[in-house]
Amino acid sequence: MADVLADLQSKGIFKRILFGGTGDLPQFKDGTKLYFHYRTTKCDDEKTLLDDSRKHSKPMELIVGKKFKLEVWETCLVTMRQKEVAEFGVTTAHAASYPLVAKSLRDIFEKNGAHSNTPKHCCGMMAMSEEGVGYPDLNELMKTPQPLMFTLELLKVENPGEYEKESWVMTEDEKLKAIPNLKEEGNAYYKQKQYTEAAEKYGEALGMLEQLVLKEKPGEKEWDELEDKKTPFLLNFAQCKLLLNEFYPVIEHTTTVLARDPDNVKALFRRAKAHVGAWNPKDAKIDFERVMELDDTLTAAVQKELKSLAEKEHQKDMEDKQKLKKLFDYMSYMDFV
């Protein structure tokens, strides 16, 4: 332990153990997942509090070797045992990126609320504007960098293979292997009429495909193959949202399919029904008529939908006329008075 402390001090990090933790020091191989709480204070006499992760419902997570944006946290955590609590005083150089990382974490927590999912990592450093980062205390740190004190509690350590990897941690091969499994899981949820859960699985697969597509050059074979793989997930996701009466995501995702495959009957039919739900009757009719042109076996089903749409339009016209009549009656009354 003396060697560890000496090594930290040589890097400008000063550690004081508050609770020794349990077990031996883990090996912390690359890919090890760490769950921890952090408390950040200034090194002034008042020990001014900046952030405390215990205000949120879940702890922070960090993957060793994945270049977390605040590198000093990983440097500190890999000197700790499970359940250990320790204070780490760090020099200005180590604390320089803290305002940007803290802004990202605060934004996520404040946007999603106390019951949101814990942010898994910080993607990129936000550009600094003349107005600062939006938090007065962090703006002050950016203008006047200073040493900080981190109180860290290492809650749990999971070795590689002991936890389900998230997409941002996976290699390309791991993502390609995971995508068919996600489809099967989504299909299973769909059969059980658990449409929200099914949509989440299809959406997760789409996220992985998007990540893979970004690494390819548009128009090349690999790019085309990945774009084609997205189609069934887009259609399945749209069908789930349609059954949940969430019409705008249906329109968005089916339109994405049709941009690549203008004659995709499933996309046209689902978008038409979503247009009805979002009350875009003109667009719905265009899509329904195109479906009949492309697949005459669906003529009866489409005509049924068009009949239902016509009845809804008639009902809405009657309601609008009634509203206008009430308005005119009121205006006549006011004129009389």
Side-chain angles (χ1 to χ4, degrees), residues 248-260:
Y248 292 104
V250 180
I251 294 169
E252 177 187 352
H253 285 74
T254 51
T255 299
T256 299
V257 172
L258 291 164
R260 186 165 179 79

Side-chain angles (χ1 to χ4, degrees), residues 9 60 71 84 113 119 152 171 251 265-266 289 303 332:
Q9 288 181 19
M60 281 291 297
E71 294 181 11
E84 181 179 328
L152 303 179
T171 64
I251 294 169
V265 174
K266 286 184 178 179
E289 288 168 2
Q303 287 178 341
S332 298

